[in-house]
Amino acid sequence: MSNLEKLRAELKQLNSEYTKIKTLPPEERGEFGRMMNQKKQKLLSEIERAEADAESVAVEPLDISAPAAPNQPLPVIQRGTKHPLMVELDRVIEVYSAMGFDVMESRQLDDEFHMFDSLNFPAGHPARDGYDTFRTSEGFIPPAHTSTMQHRALRKYKSKLEQGGQIAVVIPGRVFRNEDADATHEHTFYQCEGVFVSKDATMGQLFGILRQFFEGYYGQKLELKTQPGYFPFTEPSAEFLIEKPACLGGKGYLEMGGCGMIHPNVLKMADIDPEKYHGFAWGGGIDRLAMLKYGLSDVRYFESGKLDFLEEF
Ligand code: DAH
């Protein structure tokens, strides 16, 4: 029995003794009453103290500099890590920065003008449907590709051309497409856009940059192949493929993105004279790059939130 419990029992006992008063001769009752009240007062204040003690938890002083007790397991601290896609995105930026490119930030909500008009998609043209765009009820568009940033990049860096320099910028960003996910498609993924403009930009220069980027990213020599493509914002347009890295068996080529010479209309819309300047642009998926690097077979792992998968990185 705790001290507090003992004191409470004593109080109960004392209270029951008050009834004795009736059995006493009247002249003794006053004295008895005073004595009982005194005892009761004393008990009540002891109980109050004991209650206060019981409430304050005993805290042992802690020496935070003491070494951990031997044989006692340390608490497991789960540290967060960077998401593998962010690690790859950083790597992409690092490789392009080393090649002299500026880096611009993308956005996750855009509009009809940047998604289509500024990229020379004619109004009502079926190519507008080819991008499976989401739309908000207010009419905004979560970008379906990082090319939505081309117009802003051209305007932002145009003064470099006027000063006799060139525009060389990459824009990584998150993109969204209203399509069913499968092992090689996600509704949400990352791309990196590249924009280059100078007085004498050529397709040959573009392919040189692409090859240099892939070799830098994978840290190995890789063959680059191109095939004809179609994009309203480039003319001519091409798709670029790279040789399968050795870790994936090394046979065959994989499509990595689209590219081409920037269409004169796209330059004109950004107030750049297509008679004086030429440019090329390209864009490709970062998820794809990372899948190849790690030999992953299903792109959906990245956005799955599966901790056991993420902890492997
Ligand atoms: N935005 C295109 C896509 O997502 C890829 C692309 C093609 C980007 C050609 C470009 C380009 O910059 O010039 O399918």
Side-chain angles (χ1 to χ4, degrees), residues 34-282:
R34 261 191 302 281
M35 189 262 299
M36 286 293 282
N37 283 346
Q38 257 175 24
K39 275 196 190 169
K40 188 173 174 171
Q41 273 314 312
K42 190 164 165 258
L43 264 179
L44 283 175
S45 55
E46 278 177 47
I47 286 174
E48 204 176 308
R49 231 175 299 135
E51 279 173 345
D53 284 352
E55 269 173 29
S56 66
V57 182
V59 179
E60 268 184 48
L62 178 70
D63 176 5
I64 57 166
S65 66
N71 306 325
Q72 196 173 311
L74 289 170
V76 179
I77 300 170
Q78 266 210 313
R79 283 179 209 279
T81 52
K82 255 195 182 172
H83 189 280
L85 282 178
M86 293 303 102
V87 174
E88 295 317 309
L89 197 142
D90 285 351
R91 177 76 188 129
V92 166
I93 293 175
E94 191 179 49
V95 175
Y96 278 122
S97 299
M99 289 164 67
F101 282 87
D102 289 313
V103 180
M104 206 173 147
E105 226 176 295
S106 177
R107 49 176 67 204
Q108 297 197 35
L109 200 57
D110 219 316
D111 54 32
E112 194 81 20
F113 174 77
H114 290 92
M115 178 67 213
F116 295 119
D117 302 75
S118 72
L119 289 168
N120 194 41
F121 283 83
H125 194 278
R128 290 197 182 216
D129 301 330
Y131 279 84
D132 303 309
T133 46
F134 287 110
R135 270 163 219 273
T136 70
S137 46
E138 297 84 6
F140 290 108
I141 299 178
H145 55 176
T146 43
S147 303
T148 53
M149 294 298 294
Q150 280 196 20
H151 183 80
R152 294 189 185 91
L154 292 173
R155 284 210 178 272
K156 177 169 181 189
Y157 292 101
K158 197 171 63 165
S159 58
K160 287 196 167 193
L161 296 175
E162 288 147 13
Q163 289 154 17
Q166 59 197 25
I167 297 176
V169 57
V170 290
I171 312 128
R174 198 174 202 197
V175 296
F176 310 87
R177 291 203 189 166
N178 188 3
E179 61 180 345
D180 293 334
D182 62 29
T184 52
H185 296 90
E186 256 292 15
H187 46 74
T188 302
F189 53 103
Y190 288 84
Q191 284 190 333
C192 185
E193 191 79 5
V195 177
F196 186 97
V197 185
S198 71
K199 279 203 159 73
D200 47 16
T202 64
M203 286 289 257
Q205 214 178 346
L206 163 64
F207 297 152
I209 286 172
L210 288 174
R211 182 207 287 249
Q212 200 182 343
F213 167 74
F214 285 114
E215 291 190 349
Y217 178 81
Y218 287 112
Q220 66 183 84
K221 286 248 162 283
L222 282 174
E223 279 305 319
L224 182 87
K225 217 164 80 164
T226 56
Q227 61 192 28
Y230 169 73
F231 303 99
F233 37 101
T234 42
E235 180 58 39
S237 303
E239 282 162 2
F240 52 92
L241 304 84
I242 58 164
E243 199 184 351
K244 259 190 191 173
C247 61
L248 292 180
K251 281 238 148 47
Y253 284 80
L254 295 162
E255 203 188 309
M256 299 303 287
C259 62
M261 297 304 290
I262 300 177
H263 196 286
N265 288 347
V266 174
L267 292 176
K268 262 191 250 171
M269 267 182 277
D271 290 327
I272 294 174
D273 182 355
E275 301 288 326
K276 267 168 80 180
Y277 301 103
H278 303 278
F280 48 80
W282 66 101

